[in-house]
Amino acid sequence: MNAPLSPDFLKAQSKFSTRLREIPYNYTSFSDKEIVLRFLGEEIWLIIDELREKRKTGRSARMLFEVLGDLWVVSRNPYLHDDLIENPKRFKQLVEAMRHRIKSIEDRSFGNIKVAQLTTAAMSAILKFEFDFKNAKKIRKKVLSKLKRHTKKHNIQFDGLARVSHVTDATDWRVEFPFVVIHPDKESEISYIVKACIDLELTIIPRGGGTGYTGGVIPLIPMTAVINTEKLDAIGDVELKNLPGLSKPVPTIRCEVGVVTRRAMDLASDAGLEFATDPTSADASCIGGNVAMNAGGKKAVLWGTALDNLASWKMLIQMGIGWKSRGWVIIYQKFMM
């Protein structure tokens, strides 16, 4: 049990400490400073810090932070975002309430130039929020119109669940939510989807099981399209192949990028062989991700990592031409002690 702290010590601590979080609805790892920088900029953060020491009732500060909280919670919660898109009247009421708070701050400023700078920046942030929100609805229609020519409509997802499910990987690091998530049914769709995303100026992230610890599939900008390849899960039988530089045929398996690693391991095992790549995420990770991240596992000390055992592969080249997702991976005879 920890020793109790004296009341005098607690008083001394509170005297010199300031609230680290004043923005409401912030249940993320972002600090108040990061949120202010995101919406208002560094200069405004310095003004807020300066005005902090001059607060009397703190009412103006609370109203400002309420506005920032509203901006933040809608931008970080796709479910709220979807709800407001479907309810324009509710969105209008939200924007009007934010503007009313900022106007109230102006009325209480008594001509303070610093406060005027702050309220001007806040009004600009609200205006941008309103524009981006309405523009997002238009862009969704444009993206859907272009992509549905190349894959089924239900494979193109803008909803909260799809976006939340693809915002991070095993790191749980969250930067931006993807704008759209695409689930192609066949590899033949991929080149057209990629070309369409390029035309739409969307950043493209291919994703498999999302089990990585490097952040490779995490969107870093809002206008991102995540292409989920888990449906591309065709897998062949064990076949002997003659490979350049080797004196005898070696057993291989042909896989699409979405094949779960465990399936390849089981197929090799049933043939009395061993699949070299053995990550701890084998039951959820995909072959494409194994290759992309050069996965290893405990068997790597015997037979190397994913790239060491990649016999051949085909990939999408510039402008969405020449796509083939099937590749060959080498498997080994089981190690005998």
Side-chain angles (χ1 to χ4, degrees):
M1 181 176 177
N2 293 329
L5 298 174
S6 70
D8 292 338
F9 177 80
L10 292 175
K11 288 178 182 176
Q13 287 284 93
S14 62
K15 181 180 177 181
F16 297 103
S17 62
T18 58
R19 288 185 61 187
L20 297 177
R21 290 189 177 225
E22 296 182 283
I23 296 176
Y25 321 127
N26 179 19
Y27 306 109
T28 70
S29 59
F30 284 74
S31 67
D32 282 2
K33 180 178 180 180
E34 289 171 308
I35 295 173
V36 172
L37 292 179
R38 191 184 189 94
F39 290 117
L40 306 180
E42 187 172 3
E43 184 180 355
I44 301 302
W45 170 254
L46 295 174
I47 291 174
I48 290 173
D49 217 26
E50 180 183 335
L51 294 174
R52 194 188 306 274
E53 304 300 323
K54 300 176 183 179
R55 290 183 194 175
K56 294 180 181 178
T57 64
R59 185 177 173 187
S60 294
R62 284 194 299 273
M63 287 191 289
L64 173 65
F65 290 135
E66 284 170 2
V67 169
L68 291 171
D70 286 339
L71 293 173
W72 183 242
V73 73
V74 173
S75 67
R76 298 303 292 183
N77 190 323
Y79 297 104
L80 286 178
H81 192 273
D82 291 345
D83 179 68
L84 291 172
I85 281 181
E86 293 169 8
N87 295 275
K89 185 177 179 181
R90 192 176 300 168
F91 176 72
K92 183 180 178 182
Q93 289 172 339
L94 171 64
V95 172
E96 287 176 352
M98 290 192 291
R99 286 194 172 125
H100 176 73
R101 290 194 189 102
I102 299 303
K103 183 67 170 60
S104 297
I105 295 172
E106 286 179 344
D107 294 342
R108 296 164 53 87
S109 68
F110 304 107
N112 188 307
I113 296 176
K114 297 287 186 183
V115 176
Q117 286 180 263
L118 192 153
T119 55
T120 299
M123 282 295 192
S124 297
I126 295 170
L127 186 65
K128 184 179 184 302
F129 169 77
E130 186 177 20
F131 173 80
D132 289 347
F133 201 91
K134 293 177 179 178
N135 198 42
K137 193 172 182 178
K138 294 178 183 177
I139 297 174
R140 282 187 180 189
K141 289 181 180 179
K142 183 179 178 182
V143 170
L144 181 61
S145 174
K146 200 166 184 70
L147 289 177
K148 70 180 182 181
R149 303 172 195 167
H150 312 302
T151 190
K152 293 176 182 176
K153 186 177 178 180
H154 67 257
N155 290 337
I156 306 161
Q157 299 178 331
F158 301 96
D159 61 280
L161 178 59
R163 296 174 66 210
V164 167
S165 301
H166 293 77
V167 70
T168 188
D169 56 10
T171 63
D172 203 32
W173 183 40
R174 298 158 194 265
V175 182
E176 296 287 354
F177 288 91
F179 185 80
V180 61
V181 179
I182 309 160
H183 298 262
D185 291 311
K186 299 176 291 186
E187 66 169 37
S188 57
E189 298 173 358
I190 296 289
S191 61
Y192 300 103
I193 290 171
V194 169
K195 180 66 166 60
C197 288
I198 292 171
D199 292 342
L200 292 163
E201 298 184 346
L202 293 170
T203 296
I204 303 167
I205 296 180
R207 178 189 171 106
T211 60
Y213 280 101
T214 62
V217 297
I218 295 174
L220 298 179
I221 61 173
M223 297 307 295
T224 297
V226 172
I227 302 177
N228 186 308
T229 61
E230 289 178 293
K231 289 185 183 179
L232 309 181
D233 60 353
I235 186 169
D237 296 321
V238 175
E239 296 182 42
L240 292 175
K241 301 286 289 184
N242 291 305
L243 300 178
L246 298 180
S247 58
K248 58 182 181 179
V250 294
T252 62
I253 304 175
R254 187 175 67 177
C255 304
E256 285 190 334
V257 291
V259 171
V260 174
T261 309
R262 180 66 64 188
R263 289 181 62 201
M265 294 171 71
D266 290 345
L267 188 63
S269 182
D270 291 344
L273 301 164
E274 197 71 20
F275 189 75
T277 305
D278 180 29
T280 54
S281 59
D283 292 310
S285 64
C286 300
I287 294 298
N290 294 167
V291 173
M293 306 315 300
N294 194 22
K298 58 183 179 293
K299 297 175 187 175
V301 294
L302 296 174
W303 298 304
T305 61
L307 294 184
D308 295 321
N309 294 281
L310 187 61
S312 67
W313 75 96
K314 293 181 180 180
M315 63 185 292
L316 191 66
I317 61 174
Q318 189 176 13
M319 301 307 290
I321 301 169
W323 166 264
K324 284 288 185 182
S325 65
R326 291 190 178 91
W328 296 85
V329 289
I330 304 169
I331 52 179
Y332 291 86
Q333 293 184 351
K334 288 191 175 180
F335 181 74
M336 304 298 293
M337 296 297 290

